[in-house]
Amino acid sequence: MQFPQALETVLESLKRMRDESGHRPCASRSALDALNRVSTRTAQTPAEQKIDPPSVRAGLALGLRRAGNEVATDAKKIEKLAAVQARVSVCTKCPNLASSRTQTVFGVGNPDAEIMFVGEAPGADEDAQGEPFVGRAGQLLTKIIKAMGFAREEVYIANILKCRPDVPAGSFGNRAPTPREMQTCRPYLMEQIEIIKPKVIVALGAVAVEGLLGTRAPMRELRGRWESFDGTPLMITYHPAYLLRNQSPSEKRKVWEDMMLVLERLEKPISEKQRNYFL
């Protein structure tokens, strides 16, 4: 593929993602790195690169082709996720949840994310906005993600349940999903994981662990442990809501130590500031 064709591939993929998706295009880091390398080389003259023009064109075409492949892959993932989301949005497998919800809460983030965070179920804020982890617990999760060196848009966030568990009229707060509700909704999450193919999954809280692994045990026994989910490394840690209820610095530090294990597994550099960080 020559330079103009490669460039056209990138632009067409981005345009299709913009037109067909409800979200702005979100390319992976490798795609952005490839495009940045192409941009840098384009800004240099052949003399500065100390190579002949044909080599310049070949190098740029190769870089754009790789970037175009990355963007095209992201576009395919977005398309597949959108198809699953369409089925979720009209799901009535749990009649009690379908009749009480404001809307389903599918998931949000980078379709090519390295990390996927999985919680238990939407709360009132999530049910109202249609996005997971947007309440107080979500704000804390966003803070954790940023401290890890990622933007919220670079990871993927989802829940075991796509509907808020119904509660009796006049009552406040949330309830945990039942085993039957989790089993019914689980296939949707499995499809999300299969499409995204994260390098690491982070299970947030005991309900997420039960939904993913079928394991029931106190979190003090589970957190900080590596498990495997269909071959993908899975780290277990406390749900951010737990840290809102328990403000103990030692408990907050445990979650951060779990996140440093995630960074190590991803072979990400950890700064001295991060090593000494407390939530």
Side-chain angles (χ1 to χ4, degrees):
M1 182 184 294
Q2 296 303 312
F3 180 90
Q5 295 173 294
L7 179 58
E8 184 177 353
T9 297
V10 175
L11 294 177
E12 286 181 352
S13 296
L14 288 171
K15 184 178 184 298
R16 185 170 63 254
M17 291 166 66
R18 182 197 64 194
D19 293 341
E20 298 179 0
S21 173
H23 301 282
R24 291 178 299 172
C26 184
S28 63
R29 284 189 173 185
S30 55
L32 294 175
D33 288 344
L35 286 170
N36 284 332
R37 287 194 297 272
V38 172
S39 176
T40 299
R41 295 190 66 181
T42 304
Q44 294 177 325
T45 65
E48 290 173 325
Q49 293 177 337
K50 295 184 173 60
I51 51 179
D52 59 283
S55 298
V56 174
R57 290 193 296 272
L60 291 174
L62 177 61
L64 279 168
R65 184 167 67 250
R66 290 174 177 171
N69 289 339
E70 290 278 357
V71 173
T73 298
D74 288 352
K76 290 179 181 178
K77 287 187 174 184
I78 290 173
E79 184 178 350
K80 290 180 179 179
L81 287 170
V84 181
Q85 185 172 8
R87 287 188 279 115
V88 167
S89 67
V90 296
C91 180
T92 57
K93 293 180 180 179
C94 301
N96 58 313
L97 303 187
S99 63
S100 64
R101 73 191 181 207
T102 301
Q103 59 190 313
T104 56
V105 181
F106 183 67
V108 67
N110 186 354
D112 200 32
E114 294 181 290
I115 308 175
M116 184 171 181
F117 292 88
V118 179
E120 53 180 69
D125 293 325
E126 290 75 20
D127 178 65
Q129 298 184 40
E131 183 174 328
F133 284 92
V134 293
R136 292 181 62 220
Q139 293 168 14
L140 180 54
L141 177 61
T142 299
K143 180 180 178 181
I144 293 170
I145 292 169
K146 289 182 177 179
M148 295 175 72
F150 293 92
R152 180 180 167 102
E153 295 77 16
E154 290 181 292
V155 304
Y156 198 89
I157 305 172
N159 283 312
I160 299 294
L161 250 62
K162 308 307 182 191
C163 297
R164 183 191 182 197
D166 56 333
V167 294
S171 61
F172 297 93
N174 303 306
R175 70 164 175 85
T178 66
R180 182 174 182 177
E181 288 168 345
M182 288 192 286
Q183 191 63 31
T184 301
C185 205
R186 191 175 188 270
Y188 293 132
L189 179 63
M190 300 306 99
E191 289 188 77
Q192 287 175 291
I193 294 173
E194 175 59 29
I195 293 169
I196 295 166
K197 291 181 170 52
K199 294 181 179 179
V200 172
I201 298 172
V202 177
L204 301 168
V207 174
V209 175
E210 182 179 354
L212 286 165
L213 303 177
T215 301
R216 300 187 71 174
M219 277 300 295
R220 63 178 179 275
E221 299 176 8
L222 295 173
R223 66 140 293 268
R225 282 171 37 183
W226 282 109
E227 299 289 346
S228 178
F229 180 82
D230 288 347
T232 301
L234 184 147
M235 169 55 64
I236 300 172
T237 195
Y238 289 119
H239 193 285
Y242 169 77
L243 299 182
L244 295 177
R245 297 191 301 269
N246 189 333
Q247 296 290 326
S248 168
S250 62
E251 295 301 282
K252 292 181 178 181
R253 179 62 187 180
K254 288 176 184 177
V255 172
W256 183 242
E257 289 174 351
D258 298 341
M259 296 305 97
M260 284 196 289
L261 291 175
V262 170
L263 291 175
E264 289 175 355
R265 178 59 66 96
L266 293 172
E267 299 182 344
K268 302 294 184 183
I270 301 176
S271 68
E272 195 63 27
K273 180 180 179 180
Q274 286 175 311
R275 292 192 184 280
N276 297 321
Y277 184 72
F278 279 81
L279 299 176

Coordinates of all heavy atoms in Angstrom, one line a residue, residues 18-106:
R18 N -16.7 7.8 13.6 CA -17.3 9.0 14.0 C -18.8 8.9 13.7 O -19.7 9.3 14.5 CB -16.7 10.2 13.4 CG -17.3 11.5 13.8 CD -17.0 12.6 12.9 NE -17.5 12.4 11.5 CZ -17.1 13.0 10.4 NH1 -16.2 13.9 10.5 NH2 -17.7 12.7 9.3
D19 N -19.1 8.4 12.5 CA -20.5 8.4 12.0 C -21.4 7.3 12.6 O -22.5 7.5 12.8 CB -20.5 8.3 10.5 CG -19.9 9.5 9.8 OD1 -19.8 10.6 10.4 OD2 -19.5 9.4 8.6
E20 N -20.8 6.2 12.8 CA -21.5 5.0 13.3 C -21.6 4.8 14.8 O -22.5 4.1 15.3 CB -21.0 3.7 12.6 CG -21.1 3.8 11.1 CD -20.5 2.5 10.5 OE1 -20.1 1.6 11.2 OE2 -20.5 2.4 9.2
S21 N -20.7 5.4 15.5 CA -20.6 5.2 17.0 C -21.2 6.4 17.7 O -21.1 7.6 17.2 CB -19.2 5.0 17.4 OG -19.1 5.0 18.8
G22 N -21.8 6.1 18.8 CA -22.3 7.2 19.7 C -21.2 7.9 20.5 O -21.5 8.9 21.1
H23 N -20.0 7.4 20.4 CA -18.9 8.0 21.1 C -17.8 8.5 20.2 O -17.8 8.0 19.0 CB -18.3 7.0 22.1 CG -19.3 6.4 23.1 ND1 -19.7 7.1 24.2 CD2 -20.0 5.2 23.1 CE1 -20.6 6.4 24.9 NE2 -20.8 5.3 24.2
R24 N -17.0 9.3 20.6 CA -15.9 9.8 19.8 C -14.9 8.6 19.6 O -14.7 7.8 20.5 CB -15.1 10.9 20.5 CG -15.9 12.2 20.6 CD -15.2 13.3 21.3 NE -14.9 12.9 22.7 CZ -14.1 13.6 23.5 NH1 -13.5 14.7 23.1 NH2 -13.9 13.2 24.7
P25 N -14.2 8.6 18.5 CA -13.2 7.5 18.2 C -12.2 7.5 19.3 O -11.7 8.5 19.8 CB -12.6 7.9 16.9 CG -13.6 8.7 16.2 CD -14.3 9.5 17.3
C26 N -11.9 6.3 19.8 CA -10.9 6.1 20.9 C -9.9 5.1 20.4 O -10.1 3.9 20.5 CB -11.6 5.7 22.2 SG -10.5 5.6 23.6
A27 N -8.7 5.5 19.9 CA -7.7 4.6 19.4 C -6.8 4.1 20.5 O -6.7 4.7 21.6 CB -6.9 5.4 18.4
S28 N -6.2 3.0 20.3 CA -5.3 2.4 21.3 C -4.0 3.2 21.3 O -3.7 4.0 20.4 CB -5.0 0.9 20.9 OG -4.3 0.9 19.7
R29 N -3.3 3.0 22.4 CA -2.0 3.7 22.5 C -1.0 3.3 21.4 O -0.3 4.1 20.9 CB -1.3 3.3 23.9 CG -2.0 4.0 25.0 CD -1.2 3.8 26.3 NE -1.7 4.6 27.4 CZ -1.1 4.7 28.6 NH1 0.0 4.0 28.8 NH2 -1.6 5.5 29.5
S30 N -1.0 2.0 21.0 CA -0.1 1.6 19.9 C -0.5 2.3 18.6 O 0.4 2.7 17.8 CB -0.2 0.1 19.7 OG -1.5 -0.3 19.5
A31 N -1.8 2.5 18.3 CA -2.2 3.2 17.1 C -1.8 4.7 17.2 O -1.2 5.2 16.2 CB -3.7 3.2 17.0
L32 N -2.0 5.3 18.3 CA -1.5 6.7 18.5 C 0.0 6.9 18.3 O 0.5 7.8 17.7 CB -2.0 7.3 19.8 CG -3.5 7.4 20.0 CD1 -3.9 7.8 21.4 CD2 -4.1 8.4 19.0
D33 N 0.7 5.9 18.9 CA 2.2 5.9 18.8 C 2.6 5.8 17.4 O 3.5 6.5 16.9 CB 2.8 4.8 19.6 CG 2.7 5.1 21.1 OD1 2.4 6.2 21.5 OD2 2.9 4.1 21.9
A34 N 1.9 4.9 16.6 CA 2.3 4.8 15.2 C 2.0 6.1 14.4 O 2.8 6.5 13.6 CB 1.5 3.6 14.6
L35 N 0.9 6.7 14.7 CA 0.6 7.9 14.0 C 1.5 9.0 14.4 O 1.9 9.8 13.5 CB -0.9 8.3 14.3 CG -2.0 7.5 13.7 CD1 -3.3 7.9 14.3 CD2 -2.0 7.7 12.2
N36 N 1.9 9.1 15.6 CA 2.9 10.1 16.1 C 4.2 9.9 15.4 O 4.9 10.9 15.0 CB 3.1 10.1 17.6 CG 1.9 10.7 18.3 OD1 1.2 11.5 17.8 ND2 1.6 10.2 19.5
R37 N 4.6 8.7 15.2 CA 5.9 8.4 14.5 C 5.8 8.9 13.1 O 6.8 9.5 12.6 CB 6.3 6.9 14.6 CG 6.7 6.5 16.0 CD 7.4 5.1 15.9 NE 6.4 4.1 15.5 CZ 5.6 3.4 16.3 NH1 5.7 3.6 17.6 NH2 4.8 2.5 15.8
V38 N 4.7 8.6 12.5 CA 4.5 9.1 11.1 C 4.5 10.6 11.0 O 5.2 11.2 10.1 CB 3.2 8.5 10.5 CG1 2.9 9.1 9.2 CG2 3.3 7.0 10.4
S39 N 3.8 11.2 11.9 CA 3.8 12.7 12.0 C 5.2 13.3 12.1 O 5.5 14.3 11.5 CB 2.9 13.2 13.1 OG 2.9 14.6 13.2
T40 N 6.0 12.7 13.0 CA 7.3 13.2 13.2 C 8.2 13.0 12.0 O 8.9 14.0 11.6 CB 8.0 12.4 14.4 OG1 7.2 12.6 15.6 CG2 9.4 12.9 14.6
R41 N 8.1 11.9 11.3 CA 8.9 11.7 10.1 C 8.4 12.6 9.0 O 9.2 13.0 8.2 CB 8.8 10.2 9.7 CG 9.4 9.3 10.7 CD 9.5 7.9 10.1 NE 10.4 7.8 9.0 CZ 10.7 6.7 8.4 NH1 10.1 5.6 8.6 NH2 11.6 6.7 7.4
T42 N 7.1 12.9 8.9 CA 6.6 13.8 7.9 C 7.2 15.2 8.0 O 7.4 15.9 7.1 CB 5.1 13.8 7.9 OG1 4.6 12.5 7.8 CG2 4.5 14.6 6.8
A43 N 7.4 15.6 9.3 CA 7.9 16.9 9.6 C 9.3 17.1 9.2 O 9.8 18.2 9.1 CB 7.6 17.3 11.0
Q44 N 10.1 16.0 9.0 CA 11.5 16.1 8.7 C 11.7 16.1 7.2 O 10.9 15.4 6.5 CB 12.2 14.9 9.3 CG 12.2 14.9 10.9 CD 12.9 13.7 11.4 OE1 12.8 12.6 10.9 NE2 13.6 13.9 12.5
T45 N 12.7 16.7 6.8 CA 13.1 16.7 5.4 C 13.9 15.4 5.1 O 14.5 14.9 6.1 CB 13.9 17.9 5.0 OG1 15.2 17.9 5.7 CG2 13.2 19.2 5.3
P46 N 14.0 15.0 3.9 CA 14.9 13.8 3.6 C 16.3 14.0 4.1 O 16.9 13.1 4.5 CB 14.8 13.7 2.1 CG 13.5 14.3 1.7 CD 13.3 15.4 2.7
A47 N 16.8 15.3 4.0 CA 18.2 15.5 4.4 C 18.3 15.3 5.9 O 19.3 14.7 6.4 CB 18.6 16.9 4.1
E48 N 17.3 15.7 6.7 CA 17.4 15.5 8.1 C 17.3 14.1 8.5 O 17.9 13.6 9.5 CB 16.2 16.3 8.8 CG 16.3 17.8 8.7 CD 15.1 18.5 9.2 OE1 14.0 18.0 9.0 OE2 15.2 19.5 9.9
Q49 N 16.5 13.3 7.7 CA 16.4 11.9 8.0 C 17.6 11.1 7.4 O 17.8 9.9 7.8 CB 15.1 11.3 7.3 CG 13.9 11.9 7.9 CD 12.6 11.4 7.2 OE1 12.7 11.0 6.1 NE2 11.5 11.5 7.9
K50 N 18.4 11.7 6.6 CA 19.6 11.1 6.0 C 19.2 9.8 5.2 O 20.0 8.8 5.2 CB 20.6 10.8 7.1 CG 21.2 12.0 7.8 CD 22.3 11.7 8.8 CE 23.0 12.9 9.3 NZ 22.1 13.8 10.0
I51 N 18.1 9.8 4.6 CA 17.7 8.7 3.7 C 17.1 9.3 2.5 O 16.6 10.4 2.5 CB 16.7 7.7 4.4 CG1 15.5 8.5 5.0 CG2 17.3 7.0 5.5 CD1 14.5 7.7 5.7
D52 N 17.0 8.5 1.4 CA 16.5 9.0 0.2 C 15.0 9.1 0.2 O 14.3 8.4 0.9 CB 17.0 8.1 -1.0 CG 16.5 6.7 -0.8 OD1 17.1 6.0 0.1 OD2 15.5 6.3 -1.4
P53 N 14.4 9.9 -0.7 CA 12.9 10.1 -0.7 C 12.1 8.8 -0.9 O 11.1 8.6 -0.2 CB 12.7 11.0 -1.9 CG 14.0 11.8 -1.9 CD 15.1 10.8 -1.6
P54 N 12.5 7.8 -1.7 CA 11.7 6.6 -1.8 C 11.7 5.9 -0.5 O 10.6 5.3 -0.1 CB 12.5 5.8 -2.9 CG 13.2 6.8 -3.7 CD 13.6 7.9 -2.8
S55 N 12.8 5.9 0.3 CA 12.8 5.2 1.6 C 11.8 6.0 2.5 O 11.2 5.4 3.4 CB 14.2 5.2 2.2 OG 15.0 4.4 1.4
V56 N 11.8 7.3 2.4 CA 10.9 8.1 3.2 C 9.5 7.7 3.0 O 8.7 7.4 3.9 CB 11.1 9.6 3.0 CG1 10.0 10.4 3.7 CG2 12.5 10.1 3.4
R57 N 9.1 7.6 1.7 CA 7.7 7.3 1.3 C 7.4 5.9 1.8 O 6.3 5.6 2.3 CB 7.5 7.4 -0.2 CG 7.5 8.9 -0.7 CD 7.0 8.9 -2.1 NE 7.9 8.2 -3.0 CZ 8.9 8.8 -3.7 NH1 9.2 10.1 -3.4 NH2 9.7 8.1 -4.5
A58 N 8.3 4.9 1.6 CA 8.1 3.6 2.0 C 7.9 3.5 3.6 O 7.0 2.8 4.1 CB 9.2 2.7 1.6
G59 N 8.7 4.2 4.3 CA 8.6 4.2 5.7 C 7.3 4.8 6.2 O 6.7 4.3 7.1
L60 N 6.9 5.9 5.6 CA 5.6 6.6 6.0 C 4.5 5.7 5.6 O 3.5 5.6 6.4 CB 5.5 7.9 5.2 CG 6.5 9.0 5.7 CD1 6.3 10.2 4.8 CD2 6.2 9.4 7.1
A61 N 4.5 5.0 4.5 CA 3.4 4.1 4.1 C 3.3 3.0 5.1 O 2.2 2.6 5.5 CB 3.7 3.6 2.7
L62 N 4.5 2.4 5.5 CA 4.4 1.3 6.5 C 3.9 1.8 7.8 O 3.0 1.1 8.4 CB 5.9 0.8 6.7 CG 6.0 -0.3 7.7 CD1 5.2 -1.5 7.3 CD2 7.5 -0.7 7.9
G63 N 4.3 3.0 8.3 CA 3.8 3.5 9.5 C 2.3 3.7 9.5 O 1.5 3.4 10.4
L64 N 1.8 4.3 8.4 CA 0.4 4.6 8.2 C -0.4 3.3 8.1 O -1.5 3.2 8.6 CB 0.1 5.5 7.0 CG 0.4 7.0 7.3 CD1 0.4 7.7 5.9 CD2 -0.7 7.5 8.2
R65 N 0.2 2.3 7.4 CA -0.5 1.0 7.3 C -0.7 0.4 8.6 O -1.8 -0.2 8.9 CB 0.2 0.1 6.3 CG -0.5 -1.2 6.1 CD 0.1 -2.0 4.9 NE 1.4 -2.5 5.2 CZ 2.5 -2.1 4.7 NH1 2.4 -1.1 3.8 NH2 3.7 -2.6 5.0
R66 N 0.3 0.4 9.4 CA 0.2 -0.2 10.8 C -0.8 0.6 11.6 O -1.6 0.0 12.3 CB 1.6 -0.2 11.5 CG 2.6 -1.2 10.9 CD 3.9 -1.0 11.5 NE 4.9 -2.0 11.1 CZ 6.2 -2.0 11.3 NH1 6.7 -1.0 12.1 NH2 7.0 -2.9 10.8
A67 N -0.7 1.9 11.5 CA -1.7 2.7 12.3 C -3.1 2.5 11.7 O -4.1 2.4 12.5 CB -1.3 4.2 12.2
G68 N -3.3 2.4 10.4 CA -4.6 2.1 9.8 C -5.1 0.8 10.3 O -6.3 0.7 10.6
N69 N -4.3 -0.2 10.4 CA -4.7 -1.5 10.9 C -5.2 -1.5 12.3 O -6.2 -2.1 12.7 CB -3.6 -2.6 10.7 CG -3.3 -2.9 9.3 OD1 -4.1 -2.7 8.4 ND2 -2.1 -3.4 9.1
E70 N -4.5 -0.7 13.1 CA -4.9 -0.5 14.5 C -6.2 0.2 14.6 O -7.1 -0.2 15.3 CB -3.8 0.3 15.3 CG -2.5 -0.4 15.5 CD -2.6 -1.3 16.7 OE1 -3.6 -1.4 17.4 OE2 -1.6 -2.0 17.0
V71 N -6.4 1.3 13.9 CA -7.7 2.0 13.9 C -8.8 1.1 13.4 O -9.9 1.1 13.9 CB -7.5 3.3 13.1 CG1 -8.9 4.0 13.0 CG2 -6.5 4.2 13.8
A72 N -8.5 0.4 12.3 CA -9.6 -0.5 11.7 C -10.0 -1.6 12.7 O -11.1 -1.9 12.8 CB -9.0 -1.1 10.4
T73 N -9.0 -2.1 13.5 CA -9.3 -3.1 14.5 C -10.2 -2.5 15.6 O -11.2 -3.1 16.0 CB -8.0 -3.6 15.1 OG1 -7.2 -4.3 14.1 CG2 -8.3 -4.6 16.3
D74 N -9.9 -1.3 16.0 CA -10.7 -0.6 17.0 C -12.1 -0.4 16.5 O -13.1 -0.5 17.2 CB -10.1 0.8 17.4 CG -8.8 0.6 18.2 OD1 -8.5 -0.5 18.7 OD2 -8.2 1.6 18.5
A75 N -12.2 0.0 15.2 CA -13.5 0.2 14.6 C -14.4 -1.1 14.6 O -15.6 -1.1 14.9 CB -13.4 0.7 13.2
K76 N -13.7 -2.2 14.3 CA -14.4 -3.5 14.3 C -14.9 -3.8 15.7 O -16.0 -4.4 15.9 CB -13.5 -4.6 13.8 CG -13.2 -4.5 12.3 CD -12.3 -5.6 11.8 CE -12.0 -5.5 10.4 NZ -11.0 -6.6 9.9
K77 N -14.0 -3.5 16.7 CA -14.4 -3.8 18.1 C -15.6 -2.9 18.5 O -16.5 -3.4 19.2 CB -13.2 -3.6 19.0 CG -12.2 -4.6 19.0 CD -11.1 -4.4 20.0 CE -10.1 -5.5 20.1 NZ -9.1 -5.4 21.2
I78 N -15.6 -1.7 18.1 CA -16.7 -0.8 18.4 C -18.0 -1.3 17.8 O -19.0 -1.3 18.4 CB -16.4 0.7 17.9 CG1 -15.3 1.3 18.8 CG2 -17.6 1.5 18.0 CD1 -14.8 2.6 18.3
E79 N -17.9 -1.8 16.6 CA -19.0 -2.3 15.9 C -19.6 -3.5 16.6 O -20.8 -3.6 16.8 CB -18.7 -2.6 14.4 CG -19.8 -3.1 13.6 CD -19.4 -3.4 12.1 OE1 -18.3 -3.0 11.8 OE2 -20.2 -4.0 11.4
K80 N -18.7 -4.4 17.0 CA -19.2 -5.6 17.7 C -19.8 -5.3 19.1 O -20.8 -5.8 19.5 CB -18.0 -6.6 17.9 CG -17.5 -7.2 16.6 CD -16.3 -8.1 16.9 CE -15.8 -8.8 15.6 NZ -14.7 -9.7 15.9
L81 N -19.1 -4.3 19.8 CA -19.7 -3.9 21.1 C -21.1 -3.3 20.9 O -22.0 -3.5 21.8 CB -18.7 -3.0 21.8 CG -17.5 -3.6 22.4 CD1 -16.5 -2.5 22.8 CD2 -17.8 -4.5 23.5
A82 N -21.2 -2.5 19.9 CA -22.5 -1.8 19.6 C -23.6 -2.8 19.4 O -24.7 -2.6 19.8 CB -22.3 -0.9 18.4
A83 N -23.2 -3.9 18.7 CA -24.2 -5.0 18.4 C -24.7 -5.6 19.7 O -25.9 -5.9 19.9 CB -23.7 -6.0 17.5
V84 N -23.7 -5.9 20.6 CA -24.1 -6.5 21.9 C -24.9 -5.5 22.7 O -25.9 -5.8 23.4 CB -22.8 -6.9 22.7 CG1 -23.2 -7.5 24.1 CG2 -22.0 -7.8 21.9
Q85 N -24.5 -4.2 22.7 CA -25.2 -3.2 23.5 C -26.7 -3.0 23.0 O -27.6 -2.8 23.8 CB -24.5 -1.8 23.3 CG -25.1 -0.7 24.2 CD -24.3 0.5 24.2 OE1 -23.3 0.6 23.5 NE2 -24.6 1.5 25.0
A86 N -26.9 -3.2 21.7 CA -28.2 -3.1 21.1 C -29.1 -4.2 21.7 O -30.3 -4.0 22.0 CB -28.2 -3.2 19.6
R87 N -28.6 -5.4 21.9 CA -29.3 -6.5 22.5 C -29.6 -6.3 24.0 O -30.7 -6.6 24.5 CB -28.6 -7.8 22.2 CG -28.7 -8.3 20.8 CD -28.1 -9.7 20.6 NE -26.7 -9.7 20.6 CZ -25.9 -10.3 21.5 NH1 -26.4 -10.8 22.5 NH2 -24.6 -10.3 21.3
V88 N -28.6 -5.7 24.6 CA -28.7 -5.4 26.1 C -29.8 -4.4 26.3 O -30.6 -4.5 27.2 CB -27.4 -5.0 26.7 CG1 -27.6 -4.4 28.0 CG2 -26.4 -6.1 26.7
S89 N -29.9 -3.4 25.4 CA -30.8 -2.3 25.7 C -32.3 -2.7 25.6 O -33.1 -2.0 26.2 CB -30.6 -1.2 24.6 OG -30.9 -1.6 23.3
V90 N -32.6 -3.8 25.0 CA -34.0 -4.3 24.9 C -34.2 -5.6 25.7 O -35.2 -6.2 25.6 CB -34.4 -4.4 23.5 CG1 -34.4 -3.1 22.8 CG2 -33.5 -5.4 22.7
C91 N -33.2 -6.0 26.5 CA -33.2 -7.2 27.2 C -34.4 -7.2 28.3 O -34.5 -6.3 29.0 CB -31.9 -7.5 27.9 SG -31.9 -9.1 28.8
T92 N -35.1 -8.3 28.3 CA -36.2 -8.5 29.3 C -36.1 -9.8 30.0 O -37.1 -10.4 30.5 CB -37.6 -8.3 28.7 OG1 -37.7 -9.3 27.6 CG2 -37.8 -6.9 28.1
K93 N -34.9 -10.4 30.0 CA -34.7 -11.7 30.6 C -35.0 -11.7 32.1 O -35.4 -12.7 32.7 CB -33.3 -12.2 30.4 CG -33.0 -12.5 28.9 CD -31.5 -13.0 28.7 CE -31.2 -13.2 27.3 NZ -29.8 -13.7 27.1
C94 N -34.8 -10.6 32.8 CA -35.2 -10.4 34.2 C -36.3 -9.4 34.2 O -36.1 -8.2 34.3 CB -34.0 -9.9 35.0 SG -32.5 -11.0 35.0
P95 N -37.5 -9.9 34.2 CA -38.7 -9.0 34.0 C -38.7 -7.9 35.1 O -39.1 -6.7 34.9 CB -39.9 -9.9 34.1 CG -39.4 -11.2 33.7 CD -38.0 -11.3 34.1
N96 N -38.4 -8.3 36.4 CA -38.4 -7.3 37.5 C -37.4 -6.2 37.2 O -37.7 -5.0 37.5 CB -38.1 -8.0 38.8 CG -36.8 -8.7 38.8 OD1 -36.4 -9.4 37.9 ND2 -36.0 -8.5 39.9
L97 N -36.3 -6.5 36.7 CA -35.3 -5.4 36.4 C -35.6 -4.6 35.2 O -35.5 -3.4 35.2 CB -33.9 -6.0 36.2 CG -33.3 -6.9 37.4 CD1 -31.9 -7.3 37.1 CD2 -33.4 -6.2 38.7
A98 N -36.2 -5.3 34.2 CA -36.5 -4.5 33.0 C -37.7 -3.5 33.2 O -37.7 -2.5 32.6 CB -37.0 -5.6 31.9
S99 N -38.5 -3.9 34.1 CA -39.7 -3.0 34.4 C -39.3 -1.8 35.4 O -40.0 -0.8 35.4 CB -40.8 -3.8 35.0 OG -40.5 -4.4 36.3
S100 N -38.3 -2.0 36.1 CA -37.9 -1.0 37.1 C -36.8 -0.1 36.7 O -36.6 1.0 37.2 CB -37.5 -1.6 38.5 OG -36.4 -2.4 38.3
R101 N -36.0 -0.5 35.7 CA -34.8 0.3 35.3 C -35.2 1.6 34.5 O -36.3 1.6 33.9 CB -33.9 -0.5 34.4 CG -34.5 -0.7 33.0 CD -33.7 -1.8 32.2 NE -34.2 -2.0 30.9 CZ -34.1 -3.1 30.2 NH1 -33.5 -4.2 30.7 NH2 -34.7 -3.2 29.0
T102 N -34.4 2.6 34.6 CA -34.5 3.7 33.7 C -34.0 3.4 32.3 O -34.6 3.7 31.3 CB -33.8 5.0 34.3 OG1 -34.3 5.3 35.6 CG2 -34.0 6.2 33.4
Q103 N -32.8 2.8 32.3 CA -32.2 2.3 31.1 C -31.1 1.3 31.5 O -30.8 1.2 32.7 CB -31.5 3.5 30.4 CG -30.5 4.2 31.3 CD -30.0 5.6 30.6 OE1 -29.7 5.6 29.5 NE2 -30.0 6.6 31.5
T104 N -30.6 0.6 30.5 CA -29.5 -0.3 30.8 C -28.2 0.4 30.9 O -28.1 1.5 30.3 CB -29.4 -1.4 29.7 OG1 -29.3 -0.8 28.4 CG2 -30.6 -2.3 29.7
V105 N -27.2 -0.2 31.5 CA -25.9 0.4 31.7 C -24.9 -0.6 31.1 O -24.5 -1.5 31.8 CB -25.6 0.8 33.1 CG1 -24.2 1.4 33.3 CG2 -26.7 1.7 33.7
F106 N -24.4 -0.4 29.9 CA -23.7 -1.4 29.2 C -22.2 -1.4 29.6 O -21.7 -2.4 30.1 CB -23.8 -1.1 27.7 CG -23.1 -2.2 26.8 CD1 -23.5 -3.5 26.8 CD2 -22.0 -1.8 26.1 CE1 -22.9 -4.4 26.1 CE2 -21.3 -2.8 25.3 CZ -21.7 -4.1 25.3

